[in-house]
Amino acid sequence: MRKTIERRSGVALWRQIADRMRLAINNGDYDDTSMMPSEATLAETFGVNRHTVRSALASLADEGMVRAVQGIGTLIERRDRLTFPISRRTRFSQGLGGQAKELEGRLVQQTTEPASPIVAKALNLAAGASCIRLETVGIADGKPISAATSYFPADRFATIGDVYERTGSITKALAELGIDDYVRCSTEISAFHAEGVDLRLLKLSPGAILLVTTAINADTDGRPIQYSRSRFAADRVKFFVET
């Protein structure tokens, strides 16, 4: 059965095909053989030439999802996705605890800057108030899982970047700064193609899909303390929304 590809969408054909094959792999469509169909079969399925299919498979190989074996075909490298729960108390380390042997939080950049209108509204700050922005990467067993941009009120958390760099944990950093507990006020989930710096931070190839959470956390008195936009590699993580 031929699968329709949008030829005038502005997205390269091989990227569209890579996205669909990635989804099929994650859905277990090829579990019976643990192999991708032949290039000829895939070309017929998507209505493209074999060179386009080859480019899509090369992209998935760069991500580590498949591996070409001469004389055999393209093997699927099985990688079970981590389950990341989203709940009233969402924590990176606790959420992935037990699923990975080693978890690490790495600081990429920290700056002090005026809050944009969106950040000011989320953190209940005056327009232009000073805030701390942290760029971080969450790593599980040596593999980057998420990249996050987080904002904190500077008047309460001026040193949070230094503490995070030492502890590798937002939760531990907040605890050292007097926030023993905090709760999730809201989470918005969306999906985008990875681009720019996220390709490098998450070690993805062009066309990879990101699951994106935009969230606000507050202390137990209801005061917003963190506004964040976290990007997760969709082929490495799946969300579980707890109620």
Side-chain angles (χ1 to χ4, degrees):
M1 178 179 179
R2 177 168 293 190
K3 299 183 179 181
T4 304
I5 298 298
E6 296 292 334
R7 296 182 179 273
R8 297 182 181 179
S9 66
V11 179
L13 295 181
W14 68 266
R15 289 190 180 183
Q16 295 184 54
I17 293 170
D19 286 346
R20 298 192 182 197
M21 291 195 295
R22 187 186 298 105
L23 180 62
I25 290 171
N26 286 331
N27 287 341
D29 291 358
Y30 308 124
D31 282 358
D32 288 344
T33 62
S34 295
M35 294 187 64
M36 296 297 296
S38 69
E39 289 183 1
T41 298
L42 290 169
E44 173 63 25
T45 298
F46 291 106
V48 296
N49 59 46
R50 293 177 64 173
H51 177 75
T52 302
V53 167
R54 200 168 297 129
S55 295
L57 288 172
S59 174
L60 296 181
D62 288 341
E63 295 178 32
M65 294 199 74
V66 301
R67 176 168 56 92
V69 179
Q70 188 173 4
I72 297 178
T74 303
L75 299 179
I76 295 171
E77 298 284 270
R78 287 298 301 169
R79 294 182 302 171
D80 292 331
R81 287 183 292 174
L82 300 171
T83 298
F84 187 76
I86 296 175
S87 64
R88 182 168 170 77
R89 285 177 170 80
T90 299
R91 312 285 192 265
F92 180 81
S93 57
Q94 294 177 13
L96 297 181
Q99 301 181 70
K101 295 179 180 179
E102 296 182 5
L103 294 173
E104 176 188 356
R106 186 175 299 167
L107 180 66
V108 177
Q109 183 183 32
Q110 63 171 315
T111 61
T112 301
E113 58 190 51
S116 68
I118 292 175
V119 173
K121 181 179 180 180
L123 294 178
N124 196 22
L125 299 174
S130 184
C131 67
I132 307 297
R133 175 172 62 86
L134 302 185
E135 300 289 346
T136 60
V137 175
I139 301 168
D141 292 337
K143 183 179 301 180
I145 299 298
S146 67
T149 303
S150 299
Y151 299 88
F152 305 85
D155 60 349
R156 298 183 68 183
F157 307 108
T159 62
I160 192 167
D162 296 331
V163 182
Y164 176 86
E165 188 169 28
R166 173 167 48 82
T167 62
S169 165
I170 293 292
T171 300
K172 291 179 180 178
L174 288 171
E176 287 199 21
L177 297 175
I179 305 297
D180 294 326
D181 191 17
Y182 60 96
V183 295
R184 178 61 59 90
C185 297
S186 64
T187 304
E188 178 184 306
I189 302 173
S190 53
F192 297 94
H193 283 280
E195 58 183 19
V197 68
D198 287 334
L199 293 173
R200 175 176 59 83
L201 292 177
L202 296 175
K203 298 181 180 180
L204 298 172
S205 60
I209 299 297
L210 297 178
L211 298 176
V212 182
T213 62
T214 302
I216 300 173
N217 288 324
D219 62 21
T220 52
D221 292 327
R223 296 175 62 189
I225 60 173
Q226 179 187 10
Y227 172 69
S228 63
R229 185 175 184 272
S230 302
R231 291 88 66 196
F232 295 80
D235 66 310
R236 301 170 193 167
V237 174
K238 58 183 176 181
F239 292 152
F240 176 73
V241 180
E242 297 179 346
T243 59

